[in-house]
Amino acid sequence: MTREPDTDTDEPTADGADTDATRQDPLPDGGATGADDVALDPWGSSTVSDYRKLFEEFGIEQFEEVLDEVPDPHYLMRRGVIFGHRDYRAVARAMRDDDPWAALSGFMPTGDPHIGHKMVFDEIIWHQQQGGDAYALIADLEAHSARGLSWDEIDEHTRNYILSLLALGFDPEAGDLYRQSTNREVQDLAFELGIEANFSEFQAIYGFDGETDVSHMQSVVTQMADILYPQLDEPKPTVIPVGPDQDPHMRFARDLSTRMRYFKVTDAFASFELTDTERELVAIAYDHREEYAEDLDQPRCGEAGEWLADYETSAGEARDAAVEKLDNAGKEPLRPRTRFLDRNATDAAFDALVEEIDGEKRRYEAHVDAFDLDHAEAEELARQVEVDHGGYGFIPPSSIYHRFMTGLTGGKMSSSIPASHISLLDDPEEGYDKVKAATTGGRETAEEQREKGGKADECPVYELYAYLLSGDDDEFAKEVYEECVGGERLCGGCKEQAAELMEQFLEDHQEKREEWEDKLDELDFEFDSDRKRASGD
């Protein structure tokens, strides 16, 4: 979810249609068939060897499919470093239409900020520059409960994270900076979300067991509250930039956001309820009514059931269940309508919703059907009534996913291996030396390199160019790549150029950090935790 964990991957820490035709009930929001077959651990050291698995098994969509809808996309998007998304179209649409929207990410202060974190800093800053409400948080409760860091350690790292974020361009006057431990609204929301969560879910999603600390479990619902926090004032599309290991948080947050809603809006065809798969089949039967209905304008459920019984489909069980419901309804007209299901609504909110529906409608004990509203209009009406009557009206949060950075020594980038990563606090000369010593995707000899070309796609140094050193200059990044794979660029000169650029970047960054150092007292942010007294720090 929204965290930048201090793990070997060092990526950020913290929906949905049923994709299985034979499934009668939808998977939890955001789930996809097979999602439980592969473990993504938000606190572990997971890496993704094949990003295609995320599309197939977890329902993450390819970002290139939405790229053209994004105004002035960030270079990480253009270069495929940001490779996947969940529901980013909602954010892109709000961006284009100048509607309210937000971006949020959080950072677990367990070590120095480094170039892996910079990628997420940049994503938040870019979204802020595009007009979104930007939120950046320090996940200090999570660091204390899940990592066991003392509050003194947390305070030191917190200061460094905030300084780098500001030095890279985050505008604190236009954005929102906070730490979990001092944000009462987040803690109160976490309490409410906890009512909708249960221990069996924590077991299934995170592998928690009888040895898991209660505070660790509490940090999860706090993280869910962080994700939804930008919507407390008003519901709006919100994007959370994360690494793919944090997707379990995103799926859970989307699911909880739906459970908190007063109403669920679905399509319906008669007075009885259908599962998603059953509804699809009944829709097919309705579309073929000319084959069986005596009155095309008013086909009967029983007629549709007889036709559907002979319909060939792999979803046999769902078909049989739908046929039984249609047969039981007999002569009731089969008629499309939009349904509002009472999920958590107060009596006053339900009555208000019924009153607000224009046109023909039919009220039942736990739902109301509208015959003159389309689905989008119904969703907006349900959300507005909910907010007017004290509900949240949450829009399921969106997410974008970026690739893991390879360690400079090859393999995983690890905070525990200094040579594998470059800290934003490293002396510029040390940064230069680390790049010079980095593993490359070069051939055994210069002659072979010239003949066959380098393997830029497997090169940690080229990643530095693509992720950081080329900045917004796509032509430069492309030039480095093509010269490498074409055999014109040798590793020695390539590393020298990258090392010099890294040294210059660190010099510039640390100068800007020093400028902000003198202005930290002006921020509305508590750098020294008052919790250290209670914990004995």
Side-chain angles (χ1 to χ4, degrees), residues 66-267:
V66 75
L67 182 62
D68 290 343
E69 302 176 37
V70 182
D72 190 25
H74 191 274
Y75 70 80
L76 292 174
M77 298 173 175
R78 300 194 304 263
R79 295 174 195 166
V81 178
I82 294 174
F83 69 90
H85 76 99
R86 282 193 192 280
D87 202 19
Y88 192 70
R89 285 186 175 84
V91 175
R93 186 182 309 112
M95 204 181 295
R96 295 193 307 271
D97 296 344
D98 199 27
D99 291 333
W101 59 280
L104 174 144
S105 195
F107 307 90
M108 189 157 58
T110 55
D112 291 343
H114 53 67
I115 57 175
H117 300 106
K118 179 188 179 296
M119 192 159 42
V120 187
F121 290 152
D122 287 345
E123 292 177 64
I124 289 297
I125 293 165
W126 178 83
H127 281 96
Q128 183 182 52
Q129 293 169 345
Q130 304 311 302
D133 297 328
Y135 296 76
L137 67 105
I138 298 297
D140 55 355
L141 293 179
E142 186 178 358
H144 189 59
S145 64
R147 298 290 186 183
L149 267 72
S150 70
W151 288 104
D152 279 333
E153 292 173 309
I154 290 170
D155 287 348
E156 177 186 354
H157 296 318
T158 293
R159 189 179 189 87
N160 284 327
Y161 274 87
I162 296 299
L163 274 173
S164 281
L165 177 65
L166 295 170
L168 289 167
F170 186 88
D171 183 351
E173 294 184 3
D176 192 336
L177 294 172
Y178 72 89
R179 53 194 299 170
Q180 290 174 328
S181 62
T182 61
N183 191 321
R184 183 55 190 265
E185 286 186 304
V186 164
Q187 294 175 46
D188 288 347
L189 178 57
F191 181 84
E192 298 297 331
L193 294 173
I195 296 173
E196 296 294 331
N198 58 66
F199 182 64
S200 63
E201 290 179 301
F202 287 93
Q203 288 179 304
I205 298 171
Y206 303 111
F208 289 172
D209 57 27
E211 301 299 315
T212 304
D213 293 336
V214 173
S215 292
H216 193 175
M217 289 185 279
Q218 185 179 0
S219 75
V220 172
V221 290
T222 302
Q223 191 165 162
M224 302 299 103
D226 287 328
I227 294 175
L228 296 172
Y229 176 62
Q231 298 191 57
L232 279 186
D233 290 336
E234 64 172 330
K236 54 179 172 282
T238 302
V239 60
I240 317 297
V242 291
D245 59 334
Q246 302 303 302
D247 186 56
H249 288 317
M250 290 309 308
R251 284 183 278 142
F252 194 26
R254 288 178 66 89
D255 197 25
L256 286 177
S257 73
T258 301
R259 294 185 211 172
M260 296 292 288
R261 293 295 308 279
Y262 278 9
F263 305 102
K264 178 181 180 180
V265 178
T266 67
D267 298 321

Side-chain angles (χ1 to χ4, degrees), residues 18 193 222 238 388 414 442 485:
D18 181 5
L193 294 173
T222 302
T238 302
D388 289 345
S414 172
V485 299

